[in-house]
Amino acid sequence: MPSRTVGEVMSRNVVRAGRTAPFKEVVRLLDRHRISGVPVLDDDDKVLGVVSGTDLVRAQAHRAGRRPARAVTAADVMSSPAITVHPEQTVPDAARLMERRGVERLPVVDEEDRLIGIATRRDLLRVFLRADDDIRDQVTEEVVVGGLGLRSGAVRVLVRDGVVTLDGRVERRSQVPEAVHATWRLEGVVGVVNALTFRVDDCPPPSGHEPRARLRRSAADP
């Protein structure tokens, strides 16, 4: 099952600010909607940056004790350029981008970089709310039967709070990591416990193992 896309989980009703929005208006937006940041758009709905509560506090701290020369706008305090994603990107990719760049939200843009939605950490975490029974059925159908070619009862699949336990016997040793990795990639899975055994060891020995074995035998020969 392919990972869900950003377009499937994003929020389409986006609170936004224009580049000339006054400082206090941005503060009111955050307070009224109980959010921590808003994208800043130009006249064509293209994302110029993002203003977060942190940006607002930092701007005020820098101005402390100074006499401002002019009114401060969203464009003055926003973080720019904006870190954006496209709706066809996968949820795991978006989550990695959030973590790498240390942001709480990602404006979602179309092919022309116009805002169409926003993906927050809460939006991305919804994929982990899948019921354990749904995850178990998918692992059985797509990994055990579809991927390994086994009957559904050959591997016992237990799921609790998103943690999947695989318990049973597969044909080949190489199928064990295959099953674990395929299970780990499924949405809603937060961990995999491997209790699988195998009938045939089809994996090559560790590099350098055979030469050492031959050397020992040669030393023992007359």
Side-chain angles (χ1 to χ4, degrees), residues 6 24 40 44 72 113 118 134 136 199:
V6 170
K24 284 192 174 182
V40 180
D44 292 325
V72 176
D113 290 330
I118 195 160
D134 290 342
R136 182 198 61 212
R199 193 179 70 83

Side-chain angles (χ1 to χ4, degrees), residues 89-152:
Q89 289 183 250
T90 66
V91 167
D93 285 343
R96 283 190 286 269
L97 179 60
M98 269 189 184
E99 185 65 23
R100 186 167 64 249
R101 302 301 295 269
V103 296
E104 297 288 333
R105 68 204 59 78
L106 294 169
V108 186
V109 298
D110 62 14
E111 295 81 0
E112 297 181 349
D113 290 330
R114 290 188 172 91
L115 183 73
I116 60 174
I118 195 160
T120 65
R121 287 183 183 269
R122 179 177 296 180
D123 294 326
L124 301 187
L125 287 172
R126 285 181 190 145
V127 300
F128 295 107
L129 297 179
R130 291 187 67 193
D132 288 344
D133 288 347
D134 290 342
I135 297 174
R136 182 198 61 212
D137 292 344
Q138 186 182 5
V139 172
T140 300
E141 178 181 348
E142 298 187 13
V143 178
V144 177
V145 178
L148 301 180
L150 302 173
R151 58 182 178 81
S152 60

Side-chain angles (χ1 to χ4, degrees), residues 11-59:
S11 301
R12 296 183 180 274
N13 185 20
V14 185
V15 179
R16 61 194 71 188
R19 63 187 304 166
T20 59
F23 183 96
K24 284 192 174 182
E25 181 181 325
V26 178
V27 174
R28 291 191 190 100
L29 284 175
L30 300 189
D31 182 64
R32 183 184 310 130
H33 297 278
R34 298 183 181 278
I35 54 179
S36 58
V38 293
V40 180
L41 311 183
D42 65 12
D43 294 336
D44 292 325
D45 284 341
K46 293 185 178 181
V47 183
L48 301 174
V50 174
V51 175
S52 68
T54 301
D55 293 322
L56 297 173
V57 171
R58 184 184 299 116

Side-chain angles (χ1 to χ4, degrees), residues 140-220:
T140 300
E141 178 181 348
E142 298 187 13
V143 178
V144 177
V145 178
L148 301 180
L150 302 173
R151 58 182 178 81
S152 60
V155 173
R156 187 183 182 199
V157 180
L158 302 175
V159 186
R160 183 173 182 179
D161 295 332
V163 178
V164 180
T165 299
L166 302 174
D167 186 5
R169 188 179 182 185
V170 298
E171 180 65 17
R172 302 184 304 277
R173 181 179 180 179
S174 60
Q175 291 178 308
V176 175
E178 177 185 338
V180 171
H181 294 158
T183 300
W184 176 250
R185 289 195 296 266
L186 298 180
E187 287 187 358
V189 175
V190 299
V192 180
V193 177
N194 176 27
L196 294 172
T197 59
F198 52 88
R199 193 179 70 83
V200 177
D201 188 350
D202 64 333
C203 295
S207 177
H209 177 75
E210 278 300 316
R212 287 197 299 271
R214 286 197 295 270
L215 178 61
R216 286 195 297 267
R217 287 198 299 271
S218 298

